[in-house]
């Protein structure tokens, strides 16, 4: 009955349109009142939930990504990607995916990826004869890489939700191969479509022009080197690398590229602060929600439920995948990570599944949810950028869903895809 009150109140609040963060907080209060838990205890949990040094990485990464996204990096990354894959048949779809890979390594946000790359690539693809719904589906599916490739904001949130027991550095490094696997898989499918449907070839970029594009783009790509190089070398923590990346992004955008006006900076800061505030409120309320779940012994009950279904970890992983895919279509990614990680991590730990590996499984599942109706935020952005109806984009997305599900199964059942690099670089916590 305890769990019913907690979860049912959350479902009702979400159903009537209460914002997710407040629905989580109010349901935590309802659960606390039901089990006679003092509300002062919830306040302490909320304060502790946001009073963590590692959380500073989130606003810095968001600000760095916002500065680079609005400072002309998307256009440069598209030109950079065109050098390597633009000349093959269907090259613009490959450019879209590769540019998303690079942009995801700077922004860490699928929504920003879709908005920035899509605004450049969708009109260009349409001009060359690609259907708009196809261009939108390539953009949306390619942006899922930003969930995996560092610096993923959601990896930081997962580390927090896991109680700080999972290293952010390990999660960042673990996301590289899954992200690249997704990139290659999507590219292979797009090449197949290009030959089947007769999409055009691009032109080869002359060497001198290609060199100029590379030199221009490398200023922005140095952000990736600062983030990953600093973390993997041990010179910076994730939080410190985020702060330095933020300074570097500002320097490159305002003094090297100079495509952004100083007068627009206050608005950018306002939007960033607004985003960070929403995230921090959600984290604080989620800490309260998690505390109430712990008092109700809900994680232990969920563990017993799954182990009662089967003792085979592969069967249980499949059940968890199905559950995450369904929930991912109904709620945004960050609140699901904060709510479900304390519940599911004991289950996977009892099966001997590495928490870093499970983090990658969760990221891919919920990343697919971002491009799946009815509440897929990335899907809505892709629809808006392409000026296509949601139904048309979803229909064009069907083959891409198949690729994403295949990649999900590979990441789920081949742990080495996620764990080989972290072990190689010695960043496992």
């Amino acid at each position: 009955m305890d769990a019913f009150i907690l979860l049912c109140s959350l479902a009702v609040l979400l159903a009537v349109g209460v914002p997710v963060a407040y629905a989580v907080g109010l349901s935590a209060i309802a659960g606390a009142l039901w089990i006679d838990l003092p509300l002062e205890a919830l306040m302490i949990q909320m304060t502790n939930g946001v009073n963590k040094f590692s959380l500073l990485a989130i606003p810095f990464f968001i600000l760095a990504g916002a500065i680079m996204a609005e400072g002309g990096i998307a256009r440069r990354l598209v030109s950079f990607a065109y050098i390597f894959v633009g000349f093959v048949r269907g090259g613009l779809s490959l450019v879209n995916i590769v540019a998303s890979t690079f942009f995801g390594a700077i922004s860490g946000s699928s929504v920003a990826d879709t908005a920035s790359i899509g605004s450049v690539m969708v009109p260009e693809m349409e001009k060359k004869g690609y259907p708009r719904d196809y261009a939108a589906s390539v953009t949306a599916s390619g942006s899922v890489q930003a969930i995996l490739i560092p610096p993923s904001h959601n990896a930081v949130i997962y580390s927090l939700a896991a109680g700080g027991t999972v290293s952010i550095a390990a999660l960042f490094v673990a996301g590289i191969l899954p992200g690249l696997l997704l990139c290659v898989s999507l590219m292979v499918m797009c090449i197949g479509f290009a030959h089947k449907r007769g999409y055009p070839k691009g032109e080869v970029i002359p060497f001198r022009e290609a060199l100029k594009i590379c030199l221009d783009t490398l200023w922005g790509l140095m952000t990736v080197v600062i983030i990953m190089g600093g973390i993997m070398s041990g010179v910076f923590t994730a939080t410190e690398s985020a702060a330095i990346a933020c300074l570097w992004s500002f320097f490159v955008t305002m003094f090297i590229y100079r495509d952004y006006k100083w007068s627009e900076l206050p608005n950018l800061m306002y939007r960033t602060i607004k985003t960070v505030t929403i995230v921090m409120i959600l984290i604080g309320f989620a800490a309260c929600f998690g505390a109430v779940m712990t008092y109700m012994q809900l994680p232990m009950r969920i563990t017993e439920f799954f182990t009662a279904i089967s003792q085979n970890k592969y069967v249980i992983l499949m059940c968890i995948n199905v559950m995450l895919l369904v929930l991912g279509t109904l709620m945004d990614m960050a609140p699901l990570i904060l709510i479900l990680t304390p519940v599911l991590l004991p289950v996977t730990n009892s099966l001997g599944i590495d928490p870093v590996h499970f983090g990658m499984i969760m990221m891919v599942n919920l990343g697919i949810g971002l491009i799946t109706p009815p509440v897929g935020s990335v899907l809505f952005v892709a629809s808006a950028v392409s000026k296509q109806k949601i139904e048309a984009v979803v229909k064009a997305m069907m083959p891409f869903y198949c690729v994403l599900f295949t990649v999900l199964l590979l990441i789920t059942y081949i742990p080495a895809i996620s764990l080989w690099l972290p072990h190689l670089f010695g960043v496992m916590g």
Side-chain angles (χ1 to χ4, degrees), residues 27 33 60 69 95 109 112 186 199 202 212 234 255 269 317 321 337 343 355 377 403 411-412:
S27 58
L33 293 173
F60 283 130
V95 169
S109 167
L186 291 172
Y199 292 145
K212 182 180 178 182
F255 296 100
M269 293 297 295
L317 278 174
N321 276 340
I337 292 174
V343 174
S377 55
V403 172
I411 291 171
T412 299

Side-chain angles (χ1 to χ4, degrees), residues 92-311:
L92 281 185
S93 57
L94 307 186
V95 169
N96 194 326
I97 294 167
V98 174
S100 289
T101 306
F102 289 130
F103 191 85
I106 293 173
S107 72
S109 167
S110 288
V111 172
D113 192 330
T114 301
S116 299
I117 299 298
S119 62
V120 177
M121 287 305 305
V122 171
E124 187 65 24
M125 290 178 71
E126 184 188 29
K127 191 187 302 181
K128 297 297 183 180
Y130 296 80
R132 265 189 173 263
D133 54 358
Y134 177 76
S137 61
V138 172
T139 305
S141 57
S143 71
V144 176
Q145 298 171 86
I147 300 298
L148 300 167
I149 293 174
S152 169
H153 312 152
N154 293 287
V156 179
I157 294 173
Y158 173 79
S159 175
L160 169 74
T165 58
V166 185
S167 163
I168 295 175
L171 290 168
F172 278 4
V173 177
I176 295 174
L177 282 185
L180 293 178
L181 173 63
L182 178 57
C183 172
V184 172
S185 301
L186 291 172
M187 288 174 69
V188 169
M189 189 189 70
C190 287
I191 290 172
F193 276 140
H195 285 277
K196 182 179 179 180
R197 299 174 180 177
Y199 292 145
K201 288 184 178 181
E203 298 177 357
V204 176
I205 302 292
F207 177 76
R208 181 170 294 182
E209 186 180 346
L211 184 61
K212 182 180 178 182
I213 291 171
C214 288
L215 292 175
D216 190 35
T217 309
L218 284 177
W219 286 103
L221 289 178
M222 276 298 295
T223 310
V224 183
V225 176
I226 290 170
I227 293 169
M228 291 309 300
I231 292 173
M232 292 167 67
S233 66
V235 176
F236 308 135
T237 65
T239 305
E240 291 165 348
S241 70
I244 293 171
C246 191
L247 291 173
W248 176 257
S249 300
F250 177 80
F251 170 74
V252 170
T253 299
M254 305 309 296
F255 296 100
I256 303 296
Y257 292 159
R258 290 183 290 183
D259 289 347
Y260 200 68
K261 296 178 182 177
W262 286 88
S263 60
E264 295 174 347
L265 272 178
N267 286 332
L268 183 145
M269 293 297 295
Y270 169 76
R271 291 192 298 272
T272 302
I273 292 170
K274 186 177 178 180
T275 302
V276 171
T277 301
I278 294 169
V279 172
M280 290 303 177
I281 290 172
L282 176 59
I283 289 172
F285 285 149
C288 300
F289 192 88
V292 174
M293 284 197 301
T294 302
Y295 281 114
M296 291 179 174
Q297 298 185 326
L298 194 56
M300 186 180 68
R301 294 180 191 178
I302 297 293
T303 302
E304 291 173 352
F305 170 77
F306 276 108
T307 52
I309 294 175
S310 173
Q311 292 295 322

